[in-house]
Amino acid sequence: MFFERSFENPILVPESDLPWEAEGAFNGSVVYERGEVHMVYRAQSLPHLHDDGHWLSISTIGYSSSKDGLHFEHHKQLISPQQQWERYGCEDPRVVKVGKECFLFYTALSEYPFRAEGIRVAVALGKNVRSLKERHLVTPFNAKAMTLFPEKIDGKYWGILTANTDNPPAKVALVSFSKKEDIWNHKIWSEWYKTLNTHTLPIQRSDKDHIEVGAQPIRTNAGWIVLYSYIQNYKTDRPTFSVEAILLDLHDPKKILGKTDAPLLVPEEEYELYGKVPNIVFPTGAYVKNGKIHLYYGAADTTVCTATGDIKKLTKELSLVPQDRPKLERYKKNPVLMAITEHPWESKAVYNPAAIHLRGLTRIFYRAQSENDTCTFGYAETKNGFDISYRHPDPAYIPRMPFEKKIHATGNSGCEDARITEFGDRLIMLYTAYDGVNPPRVAMTSIATHHFLEKHFEHFELPVLISPPNIDDKDACVFPEKINGRYVILHRIQPSIDINFFNDLDFDGQRFLYHHPFVFPRRGMWDSQKIGISSTPVKTERGWLIFYHGVSHDGIYRVGVLLFDLKNPEKVIARSRYPLFEPEMPYEKVGLVPNVVFPCGSVMRGKKLFVYYGGADKVTGVATITYRKLCEHLNTYCSV
């Protein structure tokens, strides 16, 4: 993720000897003044007898301060219910100073059982956060999570809030006020609400998702950064809470300059995964110091945590529109390989090609599928990297061992998804062997390079299984050189990428790859369900470059890049936050398996990388990216 958590987390926890916050101290909002961080937070009490006769846990607003932003002392109750419109609780404060005045917005609960009409925004005001002298009900309609911009814009107060939070779809919207008293003028708000859609920021990607304003806006030279809560699949039993950001114009906040399309933070740590309400990170406060955004967030509706991120890197990412992000560029004449009906062995589909550049030609070893779903490998060549100049008329490699021959007459079987590595004077090929019944396993074979160049494919050694029995293992390759005296193999035991080290490659059917995952799917992102390597690592001065595929929870296959340390490939230097490639064309969206781009080979030709991929498990295409653009992607859109 983009943000780096503090090792001190959680930095604010409920104190059991304070009944008003014994069950929770979370969703902290902060003001940074003169070297001191002032935090207001939601405090959850022990259940007690309410004046209406119900036993309820009531939320109030606590206060604490810190000299270093990590160690907070002297918890005190700052705001508790006083008015009818907040009699059932005061929740989730957002504090901001505009000029010399402090505004603390919070959620006021006026009805129990809770319903949307009784959940509204209120505000408390004062000269500083410790002495808030007055309070008002702000919205006459259902709303939460309001804050002001920390300075006037064109002489006006500007605010941002979430309308209809409990009567979805929720809307993150902007509002402006000529004077302070307009903030709680219900007539102004009623007129504003009639045209809510004209004030709304379009940041919700799906009607299945939920959004809510997070921290107060942060001023940068590029614009206002607003960190907010983005919750994917909110209405399901497995919502994904995350932190995202939007960049608004300094002089006209209605103008969106950029926004993230991937989480900056998701629940991963124990204190985020387990608590009063599990699996939650909820941003509520932030400030900038020494080039870092200091984010404060609620974890599992129980504690307050903090994390930091580089303000320049986030600003740069937000300033570049998605269309300008570096991406693989598909060849206009794709697909370059299609099934040949006259060849029974490749009459149904040709896809998922390994590729290697030898003696001036790029040589492609592609998966060929017959009508009875037996897979073999075909061979093709290209002189310019794009157009096929030669295609072998017969299969180059066929199933030879029982573990890859069809057991039953129906169903897939055979040799699938090869990755080829040149090692000395031999080519080592790892591929998926499948008999149609048992779990697919990794097989290894090799051939002398000169035999391969001469197309004497019959000289491939008999394959041996190198992954353990009864385990689904795929997407394997060998690094093209030893590292620290050992061979390195990548493979995939679902859902992650494994790395293994061996002194030799003398697999005899009794020694197997082992499970050592080190790159994992990322919740809420394009590679959230499962991942696997795409092609053999390419050595660059920056590290080992590996294209990999990721599958999202909606089943779409996309492609990103990983960068591993040259001397310690277990160390991940960078990883794509956004995909470099995704299904867009009909031949990638429609086929035997829809919405798939699946590379198995990449080669460097000059200063350009050629990536060979399967489209929808049906055809073969090629896409390219210059090394310069790939470095730009690594610099701007990669995290770790």
Side-chain angles (χ1 to χ4, degrees):
M1 295 292 107
F2 176 86
F3 280 101
E4 182 178 352
R5 296 166 173 84
S6 169
F7 289 112
E8 302 272 358
N9 280 344
I11 59 168
L12 194 79
V13 299
E15 295 191 1
S16 58
D17 59 343
L18 299 176
W20 55 274
E21 70 163 25
E23 285 206 353
F26 55 104
N27 294 0
S29 181
V30 294
V31 168
Y32 179 70
E33 279 191 305
R34 295 186 290 274
E36 189 170 14
V37 180
H38 302 272
M39 179 187 289
V40 293
Y41 58 93
R42 177 176 170 182
Q44 191 83 30
S45 75
L46 291 170
H48 62 272
L49 187 62
H50 195 270
D51 60 14
D52 71 352
H54 290 95
W55 282 85
L56 298 174
S57 176
I58 297 294
S59 289
T60 59
I61 294 170
Y63 167 83
S64 187
S65 62
S66 170
K67 295 294 185 182
D68 61 5
L70 295 174
H71 303 95
F72 287 83
E73 300 176 339
H74 310 304
H75 296 204
K76 76 171 188 177
Q77 194 174 41
L78 186 68
I79 292 178
S80 59
Q82 293 180 358
Q83 307 293 329
Q84 278 293 113
W85 41 262
E86 60 187 4
R87 66 187 299 239
Y88 288 102
C90 307
E91 300 179 348
D92 301 345
R94 307 299 199 283
V95 63
V96 62
K97 285 204 79 172
V98 184
K100 295 182 178 181
E101 190 148 29
C102 183
F103 297 80
L104 191 155
F105 295 87
Y106 59 96
T107 302
L109 307 178
S110 63
E111 299 182 26
Y112 184 82
F114 302 120
R115 66 189 189 103
E117 290 75 8
I119 303 173
R120 294 173 288 178
V121 172
V123 66
L125 301 89
K127 294 301 180 184
N128 61 67
V129 70
R130 284 170 290 193
S131 57
L132 301 170
K133 301 299 185 183
E134 60 177 294
R135 65 179 78 178
H136 303 274
L137 181 63
V138 174
T139 61
F141 50 81
N142 173 233
K144 287 181 179 178
M146 180 172 174
T147 187
L148 295 180
F149 286 70
E151 62 183 59
K152 290 184 178 181
I153 302 172
D154 197 21
K156 291 185 176 182
Y157 293 93
W158 277 79
I160 185 169
L161 74 158
T162 315
N164 300 335
T165 49
D166 304 279
N167 187 22
K171 307 277 189 178
V172 169
L174 294 168
V175 61
S176 63
F177 310 98
S178 297
K179 59 183 186 295
K180 178 179 66 176
E181 291 74 17
D182 290 343
I183 294 173
W184 50 88
N185 186 318
H186 285 195
K187 183 178 179 180
I188 291 174
W189 277 110
S190 295
E191 291 299 315
W192 177 91
Y193 189 73
K194 290 178 182 177
T195 55
L196 174 60
N197 287 337
T198 65
H199 312 296
T200 297
L201 296 173
I203 55 180
Q204 191 169 336
R205 294 189 290 274
S206 167
D207 59 7
K208 297 178 181 178
D209 301 338
H210 184 73
I211 49 177
E212 200 163 321
V213 172
Q216 67 270 36
I218 298 169
R219 183 188 174 99
T220 71
N221 291 333
W224 295 104
I225 291 179
V226 181
L227 296 164
Y228 58 92
S229 174
Y230 197 96
I231 309 165
Q232 297 181 39
N233 301 313
Y234 182 66
K235 299 174 184 178
T236 70
D237 59 353
R238 295 189 65 186
T240 300
F241 280 73
S242 65
V243 179
E244 295 201 22
I246 191 169
L247 184 68
L248 306 177
D249 186 83
L250 284 176
H251 306 290
D252 181 9
K254 298 188 298 296
K255 185 178 180 181
I256 297 175
L257 303 179
K259 60 186 178 72
T260 54
D261 294 318
L264 300 169
L265 190 75
V266 296
E268 292 177 320
E269 299 296 331
E270 184 176 4
Y271 49 80
E272 300 160 350
L273 298 174
Y274 305 101
K276 191 174 179 67
V277 182
N279 294 305
I280 289 180
V281 293
F282 192 76
T284 42
Y287 66 89
V288 176
K289 181 183 178 183
N290 298 330
K292 296 285 186 181
I293 301 176
H294 295 258
L295 169 69
Y296 292 82
Y297 63 95
D301 276 12
T302 306
T303 63
V304 176
C305 298
T306 187
T308 57
D310 187 278
I311 185 69
K312 286 185 178 179
K313 188 168 184 178
L314 180 58
T315 302
K316 183 177 181 182
E317 180 175 328
L318 288 167
S319 299
L320 295 173
V321 297
Q323 291 85 347
D324 293 335
R325 292 176 193 153
K327 290 186 177 182
L328 288 167
E329 182 179 346
R330 54 182 52 79
Y331 183 40
K332 293 181 179 179
K333 295 182 181 179
N334 274 348
V336 295
L337 284 172
M338 293 185 288
I340 298 177
T341 55
E342 292 80 8
H343 294 172
W345 59 277
E346 60 175 349
S347 59
K348 188 171 186 177
V350 292
Y351 55 108
N352 297 3
I356 189 165
H357 195 68
L358 297 169
R359 310 300 189 269
L361 295 175
T362 297
R363 300 158 194 274
I364 301 169
F365 230 57
Y366 60 89
R367 176 176 169 182
Q369 190 164 337
S370 67
E371 291 296 336
N372 77 338
D373 294 320
T374 298
C375 289
T376 58
F377 293 134
Y379 174 84
E381 297 173 351
T382 170
K383 295 178 180 178
N384 62 5
F386 296 108
D387 303 303
I388 302 301
S389 53
Y390 173 81
R391 185 167 176 176
H392 207 55
D394 301 307
Y397 191 94
I398 62 174
R400 293 177 288 170
M401 302 296 288
F403 53 73
E404 57 195 5
K405 289 186 176 181
K406 198 182 300 290
I407 292 178
H408 299 309
T410 59
N412 284 20
S413 67
C415 309
E416 306 173 354
D417 305 349
R419 276 84 173 181
I420 297 176
T421 302
E422 184 178 23
F423 212 107
D425 59 358
R426 295 191 71 79
L427 301 181
I428 300 172
M429 183 169 75
L430 304 187
Y431 65 93
T432 301
Y434 186 47
D435 61 15
V437 174
N438 296 296
R441 297 172 67 183
V442 177
M444 182 178 74
T445 184
S446 68
I447 188 173
T449 303
H450 70 90
H451 282 144
F452 186 86
L453 294 174
E454 294 161 359
K455 303 180 184 58
H456 291 315
F457 303 123
E458 68 275 10
H459 288 287
F460 268 108
E461 292 185 341
L462 284 176
V464 59
L465 290 174
I466 66 171
S467 65
N470 303 315
I471 294 175
D472 186 323
D473 201 344
K474 293 183 175 183
D475 304 332
C477 76
V478 180
F479 274 65
E481 64 182 58
K482 289 183 179 181
I483 301 175
N484 300 321
R486 294 191 294 173
Y487 295 92
V488 185
I489 295 179
L490 299 175
H491 60 113
R492 188 216 75 195
I493 295 176
Q494 287 200 60
S496 308
I497 296 173
D498 290 66
I499 190 167
N500 291 179
F501 298 88
F502 294 97
N503 292 326
D504 58 65
L505 296 180
D506 296 330
F507 292 94
D508 57 3
Q510 301 299 316
R511 185 177 67 154
F512 300 116
L513 301 174
Y514 52 92
H515 188 35
H516 182 64
F518 78 120
V519 186
F520 301 87
R522 297 174 293 185
R523 295 183 65 187
M525 299 191 74
W526 60 272
D527 51 4
S528 60
Q529 186 175 12
K530 61 181 179 179
I531 57 174
I533 64 110
S534 289
S535 54
T536 303
V538 176
K539 190 175 185 180
T540 73
E541 73 277 4
R542 300 184 59 166
W544 290 105
L545 190 69
I546 296 102
F547 289 99
Y548 78 102
H549 64 266
V551 185
S552 57
H553 274 88
D554 54 7
I556 298 176
Y557 281 70
R558 299 176 175 90
V559 179
V561 68
L562 290 158
L563 191 68
F564 299 158
D565 185 84
L566 287 174
K567 296 181 179 179
N568 178 18
E570 271 188 283
K571 180 181 179 182
V572 182
I573 299 172
R575 180 178 180 178
S576 298
R577 281 184 26 78
Y578 298 100
L580 279 166
F581 200 53
E582 58 188 302
E584 293 177 354
M585 302 302 290
Y587 56 83
E588 299 160 349
K589 290 186 172 185
V590 179
L592 299 183
V593 180
N595 295 311
V596 173
V597 287
F598 195 92
C600 286
S602 63
V603 299
M604 181 83 81
R605 293 179 61 128
K607 296 182 179 180
K608 184 178 287 189
L609 278 151
F610 287 69
V611 178
Y612 299 86
Y613 68 96
D617 279 13
K618 182 70 175 179
V619 299
T620 292
V622 60
T624 61
I625 188 170
T626 64
Y627 183 60
R628 180 186 62 79
K629 282 191 175 182
L630 192 57
C631 288
E632 181 185 338
H633 173 83
L634 290 169
N635 292 337
T636 306
Y637 297 108
C638 289
S639 55
V640 170

